[in-house]
Amino acid sequence: MRAKAGVRLGIGVLGVYSMFLAGCTVGPKYVRPSVTAPPAYKELTPENLKDTDGWKQAQPSDATLRGKWWEIFGDPGLNSLEEQVIVSNQNIAVAAASYLEARALVRQARAQYYPTLTANPAITNSRPSLGEFGGVSSGSSSSASGFTLTSFTDYSLPFDASWVPDFWGRVRNTFLENAAAAQASAADLENVRLTAQAEVAVNYFEIRAQDALKELFDQTVAAYQDSLELTQIQFNAGIASDEAVAQAETQLEATQAQDTDLGIARAQFEHATALLVGQPASTFSLPAAALRANPPAIPFGVPSEVLERRPDVASAERLMAQGNAQIGLATVAYYPTVTLSASAGFSNVSPATWFTWPSRFWSAGPALAETLFDAGLRRATVQQFRASYDRSVATYRQTVLTAFQQVEDNLAALRILSQEIKQQDTAVTSAQRNLQLAMQRYQAGIDPYLNVITAQTTLLTNQQAAVNLRRNQMTASVQLIEALGGGWDTGQLPSMKEVSEVAPSEPAK
């Protein structure tokens, strides 16, 4: 009874001791490294906001982007494609599976807080060797030696329990490491989703730009066909030369080739869109439609908000927290490991008395393990993870700088494109007037037909440039929204408690 009470007292003391040391987690405390955020975007000046047509800042009531950010473009075709991306894109499915895998690792780490209990019931039939009782010569019988050996059956039902108290924070640091990795995986999932959504929007506007160019070239081919017929009539009447007819034919045929060539780019953008929405390229198609080049008003906010709104920045920050936990985990190796173990159960050679009180057995006791010499292994491991943490800090700061750059790049692109579009529209108007004059002078016999061809080519080139500029304007709007983080923010990042729970889509075990 005294031995039994002593074991209970020892286990109780160790339990209290483990609770006392639960807060003794070794390793550095994580503090997010500082970064310098500019007070405002360089492009957002009163002059730019005032003088830039088509580049507008959202009203204060629209201070943030919404989840379905693509709806600000007001294009039903784009909205339909974006909804398909959310459910059918395979890159998103891969990232979602990676996140669920990371969550499972968190639950594995959390399980180490608790003891492990195992049972190993067995029914063993055995017969001892005569050699165990002093040995006998070959051919002797058990009765001649004074022994009567018979086989017997042992019935046992042992239960074993073991627990490693988290004295120095090994389990806690493992949990923090995996939880931070799971949060980084959740941010990566959002980044993959945002990237896919932005790519679909860019491809969509590329397709619409190709449709606009196709319409332009179809109209131009029709106009060149009329010019060729007019030139042939004039040649038959003796007014124009055969050279003018040849020039008109060359221009028409070359423009027809350019018109046909537009189909390649459109087909490729359409196939790329099919991939993003999770459909076979062979069965996916988008009907032709006009390019609606109306850049929306975008809520820019202040630069410091980018740190909270970009999922790639959030992922880089969580990887720093993971690296910090790894340092603590490596530091724990300097401290001893205490294991509490116990075993109890029933064992008897008779099944009738297997579960009786006299058949019980038990054992319990602590064990301590400490590495006395490792030739600098633990020190090198700590240095490795400190270097890894420093690398993650540099990666985080580089990600933040890249975010600021991308926002400024697209703000500048939108500002310059809006000015360039005004200038290009003026050039188109001038080219139309030049063609009218060239045609009048040709019909009056003042200038050769080559002047008309030159004017027609100049007009087409400028009209094509105007379409491309509007396409660039729409894609830059999409890229600005992507650079601002879409409609996401770190408030949607799952907490450590959430990543350690069973996900709604997972079966509970």
Side-chain angles (χ1 to χ4, degrees), residues 3-275:
K4 187 174 182 180
V7 171
R8 289 178 176 175
L9 178 61
I11 295 176
V13 170
L14 286 174
V16 173
Y17 189 51
S18 65
M19 293 176 62
F20 175 74
L21 291 178
C24 298
T25 303
V26 299
K29 182 179 179 180
Y30 175 69
V31 178
R32 181 190 297 187
S34 61
V35 292
T36 302
Y41 293 114
K42 181 174 65 175
E43 288 291 329
L44 293 182
T45 63
E47 292 77 13
N48 289 343
L49 290 172
K50 176 182 178 182
D51 299 335
T52 306
D53 181 40
W55 182 71
K56 302 177 282 295
Q57 188 173 18
Q59 298 299 319
S61 59
D62 298 324
T64 58
L65 290 163
R66 302 293 184 257
K68 296 184 177 182
W69 53 265
W70 52 86
E71 292 181 350
I72 67 176
F73 290 96
D75 193 314
L78 176 61
N79 295 344
S80 175
L81 290 175
E82 294 289 0
E83 293 295 338
Q84 296 178 53
V85 170
I86 297 174
V87 298
S88 301
N89 183 271
Q90 295 307 301
N91 287 333
I92 295 177
V94 170
S98 297
Y99 171 56
L100 294 179
E101 180 183 7
R103 290 185 63 156
L105 292 176
V106 178
R107 296 198 299 277
Q108 291 178 24
R110 186 184 63 177
Q112 299 179 45
Y113 278 114
Y114 305 95
T116 301
L117 179 65
T118 61
N120 186 24
I123 301 176
T124 306
N125 186 272
S126 62
R127 179 183 182 278
S129 169
L130 289 174
E132 297 180 24
F133 300 92
V136 294
S137 61
S138 175
S140 63
S141 65
S142 59
S143 59
S145 303
F147 296 99
T148 301
L149 301 181
T150 60
S151 63
F152 66 93
T153 303
D154 180 59
Y155 300 88
S156 63
L157 179 60
F159 294 93
D160 298 306
S162 63
W163 180 42
V164 180
D166 194 25
F167 283 167
W168 319 112
R170 180 187 62 84
V171 177
R172 176 172 173 77
N173 279 310
T174 302
F175 174 80
L176 292 176
E177 174 193 0
N178 286 279
Q183 290 176 316
S185 181
D188 289 338
L189 170 59
E190 294 300 330
N191 193 51
V192 170
R193 183 179 287 120
L194 175 61
T195 300
Q197 292 167 347
E199 288 180 357
V200 165
V202 168
N203 288 347
Y204 179 79
F205 289 122
E206 290 281 2
I207 291 172
R208 292 297 170 244
Q210 296 302 314
D211 291 340
L213 289 174
K214 177 65 175 175
E215 182 181 3
L216 170 63
F217 271 81
D218 286 347
Q219 294 173 352
T220 302
V221 166
Y224 289 179
Q225 182 67 47
D226 293 341
S227 297
L228 174 59
E229 292 175 358
L230 175 62
T231 305
Q232 288 174 333
I233 292 174
Q234 291 179 331
F235 170 71
N236 294 333
I239 301 175
S241 64
D242 188 38
E243 179 184 16
V245 174
Q247 290 172 340
E249 290 174 343
T250 301
Q251 182 188 38
L252 173 62
E253 292 161 357
T255 305
Q256 286 175 332
Q258 290 178 283
D259 192 10
T260 303
D261 185 67
L262 293 173
I264 297 177
R266 191 190 194 283
Q268 291 174 344
F269 284 122
E270 191 175 70
H271 300 161
T273 303
L275 178 65

Side-chain angles (χ1 to χ4, degrees), residues 260-327:
T260 303
D261 185 67
L262 293 173
I264 297 177
R266 191 190 194 283
Q268 291 174 344
F269 284 122
E270 191 175 70
H271 300 161
T273 303
L275 178 65
L276 290 168
V277 299
Q279 296 188 29
S282 302
T283 59
F284 178 83
S285 63
L286 283 176
L291 173 64
R292 301 171 62 181
N294 298 312
I298 299 174
F300 310 120
V302 295
S304 60
E305 292 180 356
V306 171
L307 306 182
E308 305 297 327
R309 292 168 57 180
R310 286 197 37 146
D312 59 339
V313 173
S315 175
E317 187 276 326
R318 286 290 81 200
L319 290 178
M320 289 190 299
Q322 179 189 14
N324 187 80
Q326 288 174 335
I327 296 174

Side-chain angles (χ1 to χ4, degrees), residues 483-497:
L484 292 170
W488 188 84
D489 62 69
T490 53
Q492 301 176 41
L493 200 67
S495 66
M496 288 194 175
K497 179 181 178 182

